[in-house]
Amino acid sequence: AIHNMGRNSVSEVLRMRDTWIEQHAQELRAAINGTASVFEPKPADDETVRCLILQLYILTPYAGLSLQDLTEQLPPLLPTEQIKRCVGALLAARELEYVDFRCYRVYPAFARAIELCPGLNENKREIMRRRIQGETLESVGAEFQLTRERVRQITGKQVNVIRKWLLDQKQELFMKANALRRSQFRMPELEKPDEMDQALVEEDYYLYFYQTYRIEKKDAIDWLGFTPAALTYLSLLGRGGSAALEDAQEDRRLGSALRQRIRNFLNRNKLWLGGQWIPKNRQVLEKYVIERFCREDTTFDVFVERYNAFLREQDIPFSDKLYITDAVKRTRLNHLSDERYLLWKQGETLRFYDVDGRDYTELFEALGLDELENIELSTQKFVNDFPDVLSKYDIRDRYELHNLLRKVLPDGSFHDFKIGRMPNICFGEFDRDTALFELMVSHAPILQKDLADLIYEEYGYDQGVTNGTYLAPLSDFFHQGWYTITEKTMLYQNRQALLAALDGDFFFMDELRRIYARAVPGADLEELNSYNLKQLGFTIRSNYVYRNYSSVDEYFRTILTEQDILDISQIRTRYAYVPEFSMTLYDLKRRVEVVEFEPNRLIHARRLRAAGITREDIEEFCDRVYDFVEDGAFFSAKSIREAGFASELYDLGFSDWFYANLLLTDPRFSWGYAYKTIILYKGRTDVSIRAFEERLIRDAGSIDVYDLQSELEETYGCVISDRLDLIYKAGSRVYYDKTLDRLYDSEEHFWREFDEAGEG
């Protein structure tokens, strides 16, 4: 009934069935009678065990097997001492070799197989000897009076004869081992591998690689361990492959040792520095030298000296494409001006700065960039007004701040941001002449030096530039060192109308002008000069006035502390450009007179005291967190809770933002923003997103991007909207594998893990 099955086939099946029944008669009777099997394996002799050991290598020809591997894969109940003895015998016979606690199969070299194969006559054997020793077809043909093509035909045929002889031996051993497993140990036979002919001689270790990938013969010999004889042998089997060698790094059909040699070859034009391969590429090497040797102010000329000296230390031969010569110095300087791993300042001075590894939320908020419209400022203004926040971001002068803003703020951001000549920046349209004229009018009469100082305070312009350039349009008002105008007196009724329209104690000058224009239709705005403003009871600053307070700090303290709960969103927006506001708010937080319990929402200390929470309780909370967290550790208010930290202050029911702000008051902790979360560090360091991520990756060794995102979100409370940003912020000092979507602390770790997974 079965197609193509004849009488002989049926007889063979029946014969094998009867043989199996005869071999398993005892077990069958026991099963029929319902009694336990009486089968007990017979002790195996050493020849049987050696045969079974060699069979395992037919399944995995180039694997290294430990004693434990052999014990687990051989039939059970074999004595360990017998396995050791048989392994020793195979080692002595050079059928196995022992490397790093593992045994590997030894295959004969093809030259040896030529001598042993019984299927060759002496002439053909000699031809094969000469070819494998590297003689050309022409020289061999001349010796035996054969054509080049005839020699090629003979060698091609004889290599197959030798391989068939070896394959027959291998198949015979495999079948013998299976028969022993079946008859002596009642174990299932092992399935014969499809590519049994892939490991017959020593040179077959390279066979799959040779048939698959493309490489020059010289490189194969110099870098991958090929011998000329191996290349000749492989060429007799057919042409080499065409696949790109880069793909071989992750090809698990290749042995891990060969893959490592391939990586070494691919990295031959790179430097092994700091746990990673650095290409011998000028742009990449410049970054490495700047990051390592230029963390403090370094002139461009000194950098060039250090760069070239570093290349010499690495024994890199001189090359116009690598070294920085006088001919390319200016080109390299122009190129480096746009790089995002350094900041520039006057005098062609640079230093390493990780531009993309930080969150600039706090910096932009402190500088009030969102509130700036139709104004030009020197970055010196921010350096003067916000030293604390600039120190926190390690910005050291106006030129570095200008360079940083140029790199992180695209033109048109905020209110039409435009970068000007260093150190000026502009938002929208700005009429400098009109602005300086109005400033002069508000404060005249005023000495030239005092006006230049006032302009410096207001706009940050250098006094020398101001005197030499910016004040030129006001020359008509300058006489004998003074800027003066005919001060217009405000009529009594106009003064009363203005006072009646004022509903506060603080006004920007442009606000005051609008109020006066509404209160007194057709009013002359030049009447809002220093004389009249003082008569109205105002203290005059560069661009604002206030009254009824001894200082503007007192005014800000009042509005920030008069309520128990205060939303400062609108207040912060209004006063963002007044540096005293940020300084007062910072001081109140530092002294724990107010605490930010949600972004832009403050609670006063008296409200906390009413709930039974004192300053001492807060200090104790900080002390306990300090003791709980390991030295040099990154953490967040959420992460310490997740780790088991407990406090009575948690009974207040505030969010993690509140408890993080309590910790910010303790100078023993450093902190920064990362993905809309406050990240803290026990100790003093520059807290950046990149440093934080790098630590998590290095602590883990390797981690999936999804798992890193989950840890940041679930453990630390981060809010990550773009996983690509997560990968980018990790930086170049860690290794990202796109295929696995996994981050590693080094490229070396990636390949080690890859190879171990393949061996497993």
Side-chain angles (χ1 to χ4, degrees):
I2 299 176
H3 184 61
N4 287 338
M5 176 170 276
R7 186 180 302 275
N8 291 337
S9 299
V10 173
S11 299
E12 178 66 13
V13 170
L14 293 176
R15 187 187 64 78
M16 294 186 68
R17 180 203 63 181
D18 294 340
T19 300
W20 188 90
I21 290 175
E22 180 181 353
Q23 291 173 342
H24 295 79
Q26 288 182 306
E27 294 108 295
L28 289 171
R29 291 192 187 94
I32 293 170
N33 297 330
T35 60
S37 173
V38 296
F39 170 74
E40 291 184 6
K42 299 176 182 178
D45 57 30
D46 286 359
E47 181 182 353
T48 295
V49 175
R50 289 195 297 270
C51 180
L52 294 175
I53 290 174
L54 294 178
Q55 183 192 35
L56 297 179
Y57 287 96
I58 295 176
L59 301 175
T60 53
Y62 301 110
L65 301 179
S66 65
L67 178 62
Q68 181 178 348
D69 295 330
L70 293 171
T71 303
E72 291 174 352
Q73 296 179 46
L74 289 171
L77 304 180
L78 285 177
T80 301
E81 288 303 317
Q82 185 180 25
I83 296 175
K84 288 182 179 180
R85 183 171 64 250
C86 293
V87 167
L90 291 170
L91 290 171
R94 290 290 299 152
E95 294 191 72
L96 295 180
E97 65 177 352
Y98 187 70
V99 180
D100 293 336
F101 306 104
R102 292 175 180 273
C103 292
Y104 294 84
R105 185 72 165 96
V106 175
Y107 300 95
F110 184 68
R112 177 64 177 161
I114 292 173
E115 304 301 328
L116 297 177
C117 180
L120 276 65
N121 63 38
E122 192 53 38
N123 272 357
K124 291 176 180 177
R125 198 184 307 276
E126 182 61 22
I127 290 173
M128 293 301 296
R129 285 192 193 108
R130 296 193 174 210
R131 279 294 288 133
I132 209 66
Q133 290 170 0
E135 290 191 33
T136 64
L137 294 172
E138 288 83 354
S139 64
V140 174
E143 177 72 19
F144 290 90
Q145 299 181 346
L146 299 172
T147 66
R148 181 179 184 278
E149 178 59 22
R150 181 56 183 152
V151 174
R152 186 190 64 76
Q153 291 175 354
I154 291 173
T155 53
K157 181 177 180 180
Q158 299 313 305
V159 74
N160 290 328
V161 170
I162 297 170
R163 286 180 58 81
K164 185 179 184 304
W165 170 66
L166 293 169
L167 179 61
D168 289 344
Q169 290 182 308
K170 190 173 183 179
Q171 290 176 330
E172 182 180 348
L173 184 146
F174 193 82
M175 293 173 62
K176 178 180 178 182
N178 264 346
L180 291 169
R181 289 173 63 88
R182 181 181 66 244
S183 62
Q184 191 161 344
F185 299 97
R186 302 292 192 265
M187 294 182 68
E189 296 181 359
L190 297 178
E191 186 176 349
K192 185 169 67 173
D194 294 332
E195 297 179 344
M196 188 175 277
D197 62 343
Q198 287 288 309
L200 299 175
V201 294
E202 180 182 290
E203 292 84 353
D204 283 336
Y205 177 76
Y206 298 104
L207 179 59
Y208 167 75
F209 171 83
Y210 179 83
Q211 293 176 338
T212 306
Y213 296 101
R214 180 180 64 254
I215 190 172
E216 296 294 329
K217 290 183 178 180
K218 184 177 186 306
D219 293 331
I221 293 171
D222 292 345
W223 290 90
L224 305 189
F226 281 69
T227 62
L231 284 170
T232 302
Y233 162 75
L234 294 169
S235 67
L236 295 176
L237 300 179
R239 292 186 177 182
S242 59
L245 193 61
E246 285 76 11
D247 297 336
Q249 298 178 92
E250 300 184 34
D251 190 339
R252 287 201 170 95
R253 290 191 63 180
L254 301 173
S256 60
L258 179 56
R259 289 200 301 267
Q260 184 57 55
R261 290 183 208 144
I262 292 168
R263 289 173 207 138
N264 291 340
F265 171 71
L266 293 173
N267 291 320
R268 66 194 182 282
N269 291 322
K270 298 179 181 180
L271 298 173
W272 179 250
L273 299 169
Q276 58 182 329
W277 286 106
I278 303 294
K280 291 181 183 176
N281 170 282
R282 184 156 53 197
Q283 186 172 343
V284 176
L285 290 170
E286 284 173 344
K287 179 181 179 182
Y288 181 86
V289 170
I290 289 173
E291 182 171 359
R292 183 172 179 185
F293 302 111
C294 303
R295 289 186 169 266
E296 297 300 327
D297 291 349
T298 307
T299 65
F300 180 70
D301 286 340
V302 171
F303 156 70
V304 171
E305 292 175 5
R306 290 180 181 174
Y307 173 84
N308 289 335
F310 173 77
L311 265 56
R312 289 191 292 268
E313 289 169 5
Q314 298 301 319
D315 296 325
I316 298 177
F318 177 80
S319 166
D320 288 336
K321 294 183 178 179
L322 287 181
Y323 281 75
I324 300 179
T325 63
D326 290 341
V328 299
K329 278 181 69 174
R330 184 54 50 179
T331 302
R332 299 318 302 162
L333 188 148
N334 292 336
H335 170 79
L336 287 172
S337 66
D338 293 323
E339 291 292 359
R340 300 176 67 84
Y341 56 81
L342 76 165
L343 294 179
W344 287 91
K345 62 175 63 177
Q346 267 191 327
E348 296 184 346
T349 298
L350 60 87
R351 72 179 175 93
F352 174 76
Y353 190 88
D354 186 6
V355 173
D356 291 325
R358 301 167 185 268
D359 184 313
Y360 296 101
T361 303
E362 183 189 6
L363 178 66
F364 295 160
E365 287 181 355
L367 301 187
L369 300 187
D370 196 41
E371 309 306 318
L372 298 176
E373 296 185 73
N374 299 324
I375 192 170
E376 180 191 68
L377 298 170
S378 165
T379 48
Q380 184 64 46
K381 166 75 173 169
F382 301 119
V383 172
N384 295 341
D385 293 346
F386 306 102
D388 291 331
V389 71
L390 291 181
S391 175
K392 184 173 184 300
Y393 279 89
D394 193 25
I395 303 299
R396 302 178 183 179
D397 60 35
R398 58 183 173 173
Y399 302 108
E400 288 192 350
L401 179 58
H402 183 276
N403 196 237
L404 176 67
L405 294 178
R406 182 172 75 85
K407 290 176 177 177
V408 299
L409 291 182
D411 282 354
S413 55
F414 292 103
H415 297 285
D416 193 21
F417 168 80
K418 294 185 288 291
I419 199 75
R421 290 189 63 184
M422 191 178 288
N424 292 351
I425 59 176
C426 185
F427 296 84
E429 300 301 324
F430 179 65
D431 186 338
R432 183 191 298 134
D433 293 345
T434 299
L436 298 189
F437 173 78
E438 291 178 351
L439 196 62
M440 181 201 69
V441 168
S442 299
H443 294 79
I446 185 170
L447 285 167
Q448 184 183 46
K449 178 183 182 303
D450 293 341
L451 180 57
D453 290 343
L454 192 65
I455 293 171
Y456 176 74
E457 179 184 348
E458 175 66 15
Y459 297 102
Y461 299 151
D462 179 82
Q463 290 96 327
V465 175
T466 297
N467 289 327
T469 305
Y470 296 163
L471 291 180
L474 305 181
S475 59
D476 291 344
F477 304 95
F478 182 70
H479 180 66
Q480 293 184 348
W482 290 80
Y483 285 88
T484 60
I485 60 171
T486 302
E487 294 198 0
K488 298 182 179 180
T489 304
M490 187 181 293
L491 295 175
Y492 175 79
Q493 58 269 29
N494 291 356
R495 185 184 304 169
Q496 294 304 113
L498 176 57
L499 288 172
L502 298 178
D503 59 354
D505 296 314
F506 181 102
F507 301 95
F508 290 101
M509 287 302 299
D510 57 349
E511 291 176 333
L512 204 58
R513 295 186 185 101
R514 289 195 296 270
I515 294 171
Y516 190 40
R518 288 196 302 268
V520 182
D524 186 347
L525 298 183
E526 290 186 14
E527 293 175 0
L528 292 175
N529 52 50
S530 60
Y531 174 79
N532 292 325
L533 290 173
K534 290 176 181 177
Q535 292 298 312
L536 290 168
F538 284 108
T539 299
I540 306 170
R541 298 295 295 271
S542 59
N543 70 328
Y544 62 87
V545 297
Y546 63 92
R547 61 183 181 175
N548 300 324
Y549 290 91
S550 61
S551 67
V552 71
D553 175 71
E554 181 187 356
Y555 169 74
F556 287 134
R557 285 182 182 276
T558 300
I559 65 173
L560 289 171
T561 60
E562 60 188 355
Q563 298 180 36
D564 285 355
I565 303 292
L566 179 65
D567 187 332
I568 63 170
S569 301
Q570 294 183 352
I571 298 174
R572 177 171 255 161
T573 298
R574 172 168 167 72
Y575 299 113
Y577 187 48
V578 182
E580 289 83 357
F581 173 79
S582 296
M583 289 187 285
T584 301
L585 177 59
Y586 175 80
D587 187 61
L588 289 171
K589 286 183 176 182
R590 182 177 60 82
R591 296 172 180 273
V592 202
E593 293 183 39
V594 297
V595 179
E596 193 171 27
F597 66 94
E598 293 290 349
N600 287 325
R601 298 194 68 194
L602 304 180
I603 183 171
H604 198 281
R606 59 177 169 265
R607 182 68 173 268
L608 295 175
R609 288 194 295 271
I613 305 302
T614 66
R615 175 64 183 269
E616 288 71 25
D617 294 326
I618 295 172
E619 291 176 352
E620 182 186 359
F621 174 78
C622 293
D623 288 340
R624 291 186 57 209
V625 171
Y626 187 84
D627 293 337
F628 183 80
V629 176
E630 293 183 1
D631 291 342
F634 289 94
F635 67 100
S636 70
K638 179 176 172 60
S639 72
I640 57 174
R641 282 214 216 196
E642 295 288 332
F645 180 78
S647 170
E648 293 180 355
L649 294 188
Y650 289 156
D651 295 338
L652 294 171
F654 286 110
S655 72
D656 290 327
W657 193 265
F658 170 81
Y659 300 104
N661 272 270
L662 293 183
L663 296 170
L664 301 190
T665 65
D666 192 323
R668 295 176 294 179
F669 300 119
S670 304
W671 66 279
Y673 288 107
Y675 304 113
K676 300 181 180 180
T677 301
I678 296 173
I679 298 298
L680 299 108
Y681 176 88
K682 183 179 176 180
R684 304 310 301 166
T685 192
D686 180 17
V687 177
S688 67
I689 297 176
R690 184 155 296 166
F692 176 43
E693 279 193 41
E694 276 189 6
R695 173 64 63 82
L696 294 179
I697 295 166
R698 294 191 186 285
D699 286 348
S702 66
I703 187 170
D704 288 337
V705 173
Y706 174 81
D707 291 336
L708 178 61
Q709 180 173 346
S710 298
E711 182 175 1
L712 288 170
E713 292 176 338
E714 297 171 10
T715 302
Y716 293 92
C718 295
V719 179
I720 299 170
S721 56
D722 186 353
R723 63 184 299 279
L724 294 179
D725 189 48
L726 187 71
I727 298 169
Y728 178 69
K729 285 289 195 299
S732 59
R733 287 187 291 187
V734 298
Y735 181 78
Y736 172 65
D737 181 72
K738 186 181 297 185
T739 303
L740 298 176
D741 196 27
R742 192 171 178 86
L743 290 157
Y744 295 79
D745 58 4
S746 68
E747 183 178 355
E748 181 184 29
H749 186 168
F750 163 73
W751 290 118
R752 184 171 65 250
E753 194 169 288
F754 180 90
D755 291 340
E756 289 173 354
E759 291 176 1

